[in-house]
């Protein structure tokens, strides 16, 4: 990606972050990037993988997630602070994107405690396997690896896996379709979140066995916001796993 495009998109994202509670149009964002509206939309999509409007909407919900677990503000106050005039619209979009309502998300401390279903609840499908490759000598905590139908990780993943540290993973019973895979680590000792992104991954038939490796790196401003609520480590029994043990878990439908 050329540096001119990245700098322009970075300026637009800075404007989005600074004005989450304000109405922003594509014209506003394009002006901050110093591009025409049509050129800006194409460049933004190329750099981030999603449209400017969807990126802004996801930024607002990601900020709402943070505020719900870090402030005593009401859901109504938070909805206004991230640009929603209607608390009903905010609550509906939050639940569809994160997987639980704002009130439930706050009650759970920002975790999804629902127990994943057995992989045999959905027979057949493909297998996706690979390795999560470390980011230099950075310390890696618990890794969550999710398979999503969209570039933005939202809702409950179609399939998910978890492990301690880098290493092998496997996801079984993956249905046919086009999928995007994201891994992200829980920050350790104040270190930045690490992410790995791969896709699109196309599953054509039951029995397919596909390789997908994920290279971890510090999360970038250009990476799509993470909207899905991480599964609680206790629900996954992660605390009982030794370092580099593999476990594959499907998500509930």
């Amino acid at each position: 990606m050329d540096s001119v495009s990245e700098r322009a998109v970075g300026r637009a994202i800075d404007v989005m972050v600074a004005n989450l509670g304000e109405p922003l149009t594509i014209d506003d964002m394009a002006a901050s990037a110093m591009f025409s509206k049509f050129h800006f939309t194409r460049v933004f999509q190329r750099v981030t993988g999603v449209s400017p409007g969807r990126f802004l909407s996801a930024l607002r919900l990601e900020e709402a997630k943070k505020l719900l677990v870090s402030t005593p503000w009401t859901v109504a106050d938070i909805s206004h602070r991230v640009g929603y005039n209607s608390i009903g619209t905010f609550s509906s979009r939050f639940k569809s994107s994160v997987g639980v309502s704002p009130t439930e998300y706050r009650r759970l401390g920002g975790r999804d405690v629902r127990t994943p279903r057995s992989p045999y609840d959905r027979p057949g499908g493909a297998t996706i396997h690979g390795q999560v490759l470390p980011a230099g000598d950075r310390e890696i905590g618990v890794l969550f690896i999710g398979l999503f139908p969209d570039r933005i990780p939202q809702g409950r993943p179609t399939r998910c896996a978890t492990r301690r540290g880098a290493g092998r993973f496997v996801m079984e019973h993956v249905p046919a379709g086009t999928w995007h895979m994201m891994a992200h680590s829980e920050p350790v000792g104040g270190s930045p979140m690490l992410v790995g992104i791969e896709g699109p991954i196309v599953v054509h038939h039951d029995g397919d066995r596909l390789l997908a490796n994920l290279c971890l790196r510090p999360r970038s401003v250009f990476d799509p916001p993470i909207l899905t609520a991480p599964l609680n480590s206790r629900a996954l029994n992660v605390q009982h796993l030794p370092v580099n043990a593999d476990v594959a878990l499907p998500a509930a439908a």
Side-chain angles (χ1 to χ4, degrees), residues 39-237:
H39 184 53
F40 168 70
T41 299
R42 289 194 298 271
V43 169
F44 194 98
Q45 178 93 31
R46 190 169 74 245
V47 171
T48 67
V50 297
S51 70
R54 290 201 65 213
F55 198 97
L56 174 59
S57 178
L59 277 177
R60 286 174 165 152
L61 293 175
E62 186 177 51
E63 178 66 11
K65 286 172 60 182
K66 296 175 186 175
L67 295 176
L68 283 165
V69 296
S70 65
T71 75
W73 299 335
T74 67
V75 172
D77 287 340
I78 291 172
S79 70
H80 289 305
R81 284 177 180 269
V82 297
Y84 284 85
N85 294 322
S86 164
I87 186 174
T89 300
F90 167 72
S91 296
S92 175
R93 291 185 181 175
F94 188 97
K95 184 172 183 178
S96 65
S97 296
V98 178
V100 292
S101 70
T103 301
E104 187 73 355
Y105 185 82
R106 166 173 275 169
R107 187 184 70 80
L108 297 173
R111 295 289 179 179
D112 186 345
V113 299
R114 291 172 293 178
T115 303
R117 290 169 56 187
S118 162
Y120 303 105
D121 288 349
R122 183 180 288 169
T127 297
I128 298 177
H129 68 102
Q131 291 194 59
V132 180
L133 305 174
D137 58 356
R138 294 177 185 271
E139 186 177 359
I140 303 172
V142 174
L143 280 170
F144 293 91
I145 310 163
L147 197 65
F148 300 90
D150 192 80
R151 181 77 167 80
I152 295 177
Q154 60 184 359
R156 298 207 83 194
T158 299
R159 286 290 181 269
C160 62
T162 188
R163 56 169 298 115
R164 285 192 184 277
R168 294 179 56 254
F169 71 90
V170 60
M171 295 181 185
E172 298 180 314
H173 307 283
V174 178
T178 300
W179 309 105
H180 297 264
M181 184 177 290
M182 169 178 265
H184 69 274
S185 68
E186 293 189 336
V188 177
S191 61
M193 175 183 286
L194 301 176
V195 300
I197 299 173
E198 181 64 27
I201 301 168
V202 181
V203 174
H204 291 290
H205 309 289
D206 283 3
D208 284 352
R209 187 171 178 85
L210 305 174
L211 177 66
N213 292 324
L214 294 160
C215 299
L216 293 179
R217 55 174 172 76
R219 187 181 176 189
S220 162
V221 67
F222 305 118
D223 290 321
I226 299 171
L227 300 186
T228 189
L231 292 173
N232 191 298
S233 296
R234 292 180 181 177
L236 300 178
N237 212 25

